[in-house]
Amino acid sequence: MAKIATDVELAAIITGIVTDAPQHEEPRYRMFLDTIAEAIGAYHCLAIGAVTTPAEDLPQWTVAFRATVDTADDGGPFALIDTDLAVKEWLAEGRSETEETR
């Protein structure tokens, strides 16, 4: 028999995993976060990439989200993340890269 989970319950489970996170170098945790990042990227029409800073130089796990031609014009929830890069510039760069690969 299966356990049935709602979207709210899944969000609570994800939050619990991240809140009680092991060291960010632990492979199973990194794989979990990579999977979540891919799902978030797909939902928001973003390309997923690696951060070029070596993992040992970072205090936590990171992922690079790149805009695509299909990303929301206002940047969606990503407008509030990494505010050193303006949303307009982020969208323009990502969209031009996407156009080049089509």
Side-chain angles (χ1 to χ4, degrees):
M1 189 175 248
K3 292 270 191 175
I4 308 299
T6 67
D7 51 355
V8 173
E9 291 164 336
L10 288 175
I13 291 168
I14 292 168
T15 299
I17 291 169
V18 173
T19 301
D20 298 330
Q23 293 281 325
H24 73 277
E25 296 90 4
E26 201 251 303
R28 187 172 64 162
Y29 182 63
R30 292 187 62 79
M31 184 176 67
F32 165 78
L33 292 176
D34 287 342
T35 302
I36 297 297
E38 288 173 14
I40 290 169
Y43 183 81
H44 287 285
C45 301
L46 302 168
I48 306 301
V51 176
T52 57
T53 305
E56 61 272 5
D57 292 344
L58 297 170
Q60 64 228 13
W61 176 90
T62 57
V63 64
F65 287 101
R66 300 196 187 287
T68 69
V69 294
D70 298 318
T71 302
D73 290 336
D74 65 359
F78 295 87
L80 304 174
I81 296 172
D82 191 11
T83 55
D84 291 343
L85 176 60
V87 172
K88 187 176 178 180
E89 293 170 7
W90 177 66
L91 289 170
E93 178 182 335
R95 289 174 175 171
S96 69
E97 289 175 1
T98 305
E99 286 294 324
E100 290 172 8
T101 60
R102 282 189 176 195

